[in-house]
Amino acid sequence: MKAMVSNRLGSVATLQEQTMLIPEVGPDDLLLRVEATALNPLDFQMITGQHDRAYAFPLILGRDVAGKVVGQGNRVKLFSLGDEVVAYQPEQQLGTFAEYTVVPANQALVRPRQVSAIQAATLPTSGETAYEVIVDVLKLHNNQTILIQGGAGGVGSFAIQIAHVLGAHVIATVPRRDEKFGIVLGADQAIDYQVVDFRQVIQPVDAVLDTVGDKVLIDSMNYVRQGGHLVSIEAAPDLLVAEGGAFAGEFFQLQPSVGVLGQLLTLVAKRQVKPLVEKVIPFTAPAIRAALKVVGSGHERGKRVISVWNPQLEK
């Protein structure tokens, strides 16, 4: 199979196309022919050596996948050959930037026909992160106001829509080009952070989702009302300050759940949530290297998804 492989860390330039053996299937696994896989900031952090763990080489990046079941382990009962599924690849395995990948069957769900492979590939990391923070951690409801810092990004664009579905009043910071688009996604107020200081135009809110970190996170802590809740996916808030200020503050790391993935697939199938796919990337090393740079810049709009295989072309 063709795969996008890095044999050392340091920069996106290390990513090269390479011919690899199709991975072996364990008794509890599915072998997928990859249709689409999403890029995430973690991919950039890993290939540039910013992630604090060691990986074996050759390294195939990628963890979010939509694909067709072409093989399965002897203990797998809930899937059939030909099923089109969406899955989350555990961090210790990775490997979705390839024509074939193996995923644990318990991390996969059959993809509804109303949800395209490109859309589905955006859900396991960014979609689940947004859903778990908004629904399970913040427990947002329709009498609350939330400030979403970084509303145009992969997680932020999902978070705006999910908070809107719950009936909350949504305030989101976005770059100038996305001010109107933030409203389209469901924000009640979209603040152009390049022109307006959010501290001058908002009152304390019930909840904050920070996807930016650094000074934005510090400033946000001063705008959580007493008894409110702040969650950051970029850095840990100063918990001493959070406790002293009488609001909850915490750092969130995704714990993948097929239950949450199922909820997201339902929302997308019902068109209550629409994945914001900024660009579909061809399965070539130069195109993926360029996309990784954008994802790593911290200024990505929505999601970039690699189209690996299009079954329509074979019909």
Side-chain angles (χ1 to χ4, degrees):
M1 69 174 185
K2 182 168 74 173
M4 299 302 159
V5 173
S6 179
N7 288 293
R8 60 183 177 84
L9 303 181
S11 75
V12 299
T14 65
L15 186 80
Q16 302 291 334
E17 180 182 320
Q18 190 169 319
T19 300
M20 307 280 290
L21 293 175
I22 294 175
E24 296 183 1
V25 183
D28 300 303
D29 294 335
L30 300 175
L31 175 65
L32 303 184
R33 183 166 185 177
V34 178
E35 292 181 55
T37 178
L39 289 91
N40 291 293
L42 177 64
D43 299 312
F44 177 82
Q45 293 164 8
M46 288 172 56
I47 201 168
T48 55
Q50 298 177 41
H51 200 250
D52 57 351
R53 61 165 291 184
Y55 292 93
F57 297 101
L59 172 65
I60 304 175
L61 298 174
R63 54 172 38 182
D64 300 348
V65 60
K68 184 176 182 178
V69 177
V70 294
Q72 60 186 48
N74 57 19
R75 292 205 293 250
V76 176
K77 306 299 182 185
L78 299 180
F79 297 91
S80 301
L81 296 181
D83 282 348
E84 294 183 330
V85 304
V86 56
Y88 182 95
Q89 183 73 279
E91 190 176 332
Q92 61 270 26
Q93 288 185 220
L94 300 172
T96 64
F97 289 14
E99 291 180 316
Y100 294 88
T101 193
V102 168
V103 300
N106 63 6
Q107 292 293 330
L109 288 177
V110 173
R111 170 171 61 85
R113 293 189 179 275
Q114 304 94 319
V115 183
S116 72
I118 296 294
Q119 290 177 320
T122 69
L123 300 178
T125 296
S126 294
E128 284 196 49
T129 297
Y131 188 99
E132 289 188 20
V133 170
I134 298 295
V135 177
D136 298 331
V137 181
L138 292 175
K139 303 184 188 303
L140 204 65
H141 56 74
N142 60 359
N143 292 322
Q144 293 184 309
T145 296
I146 183 171
L147 170 63
I148 298 173
Q149 297 282 22
V155 173
S157 59
F158 276 115
I160 288 174
Q161 296 179 76
I162 294 166
H164 176 76
V165 168
L166 294 175
H169 183 84
V170 182
I171 304 169
T173 59
V174 295
R176 184 175 303 132
R177 63 173 183 166
D178 292 318
E179 192 171 2
K180 291 182 180 178
F181 203 81
I183 302 298
V184 172
L185 289 174
D188 297 281
Q189 181 180 0
I191 301 171
D192 175 2
Y193 67 78
Q194 294 172 314
V195 174
V196 179
D197 185 340
F198 79 91
R199 297 173 298 177
Q200 298 176 355
V201 295
I202 72 167
Q203 299 297 316
V205 297
D206 301 291
V208 172
L209 167 56
D210 164 58
T211 72
V212 181
D214 298 326
K215 186 177 184 297
V216 171
L217 170 58
I218 295 170
D219 289 342
S220 299
M221 293 174 66
N222 296 317
Y223 284 83
V224 186
R225 69 163 179 81
Q226 185 172 0
H229 200 159
L230 180 150
V231 175
S232 177
I233 64 169
E234 283 298 318
D238 186 331
L239 296 181
L240 294 177
V241 174
E243 292 169 3
F247 70 87
E250 61 186 285
F251 172 60
F252 176 84
Q253 287 185 300
L254 176 65
Q255 299 296 322
S257 162
V258 289
V260 171
L261 183 57
Q263 293 293 328
L264 282 165
L265 287 168
T266 298
L267 288 171
V268 176
K270 291 181 176 180
R271 299 185 179 180
Q272 292 178 290
V273 168
K274 182 179 179 179
L276 177 55
V277 178
E278 173 69 2
K279 191 170 184 179
V280 177
I281 310 299
F283 190 52
T284 67
I288 296 171
R289 287 195 294 263
L292 281 168
K293 289 181 180 179
V294 176
V295 172
S297 72
H299 299 290
E300 181 186 23
R301 181 182 192 245
K303 296 291 295 182
R304 279 168 165 72
V305 180
I306 304 167
S307 177
V308 180
W309 167 63
N310 184 351
Q312 297 300 320
L313 298 178
E314 297 193 358
K315 291 184 179 180

